[in-house]
Amino acid sequence: MTEPGPAQSPVPSRPPAPAPAALTTGTPVRAATDRRWCEDVTLDFHNSGGTAVRSGTVAFGTHVIGALGIDWATVDSTVPLPTPIAPGARKRRTWTVCVDSWRVPLGMHVETREVSVRWE
C-alpha cells in the first residue's frame, strides 16, 4: 500500500493576453469646400481587436485636376490618427485636406484619391 503524497494545490492560471488591436477603416467620403484647393475627407475607424490603438497616422494623396480632367500633380500629406481608439470602439473623423492655393489655378480642383492608415 502506498501512502498518499502531499496534496497538490492547483496552479493559478493566467488570463489569456488580450488580442492585439485590429483597426479597419471605411471608404473615405469626400466633400467640396468653398476653396478649390481644399476638400473635406471623412473616414470611419473600427477597432475590432482586444487592445487600444494608441498612435498612428493617416496619409492623404491629393490630386490636382485640370479643367479637362487631366491629373497634374499629387500632393501627399499626413495627420495624426484620432487616438486612442478603444477595443470595440468606432470613431469618425473629418479633416479639411488642402494643398497650396497656387497649385490650383482657376478652373482646376483637388481630389483626395488615396487614403492610407498606419497604426500601432
Side-chain angles (χ1 to χ4, degrees):
M1 194 180 227
T2 61
E3 291 186 29
Q8 293 191 359
S9 60
V11 176
S13 63
R14 290 185 178 183
L23 189 66
T24 56
T25 58
T27 301
V29 176
R30 299 177 19 245
T33 68
D34 59 347
R35 298 174 289 176
R36 68 183 176 280
W37 56 90
C38 298
E39 70 178 353
D40 289 335
V41 179
T42 301
L43 197 56
D44 291 324
F45 302 95
H46 178 225
N47 180 3
S48 59
T51 58
V53 174
R54 292 182 171 77
S55 66
T57 56
V58 180
F60 301 105
T62 303
H63 296 251
V64 178
I65 308 297
L68 298 175
I70 296 172
D71 189 337
W72 288 96
T74 302
V75 179
D76 296 323
S77 59
T78 59
V79 294
L81 192 63
T83 55
I85 303 174
R90 294 179 183 272
K91 277 194 177 183
R92 172 176 282 181
R93 179 74 188 267
T94 299
W95 292 272
T96 300
V97 180
C98 298
V99 301
D100 295 321
S101 60
W102 62 266
R103 291 180 178 267
V104 189
L106 283 173
M108 298 177 85
H109 66 281
V110 295
E111 294 178 6
T112 301
R113 294 181 176 175
E114 292 94 31
V115 177
S116 63
V117 177
R118 185 189 62 76
W119 53 273
E120 297 174 20

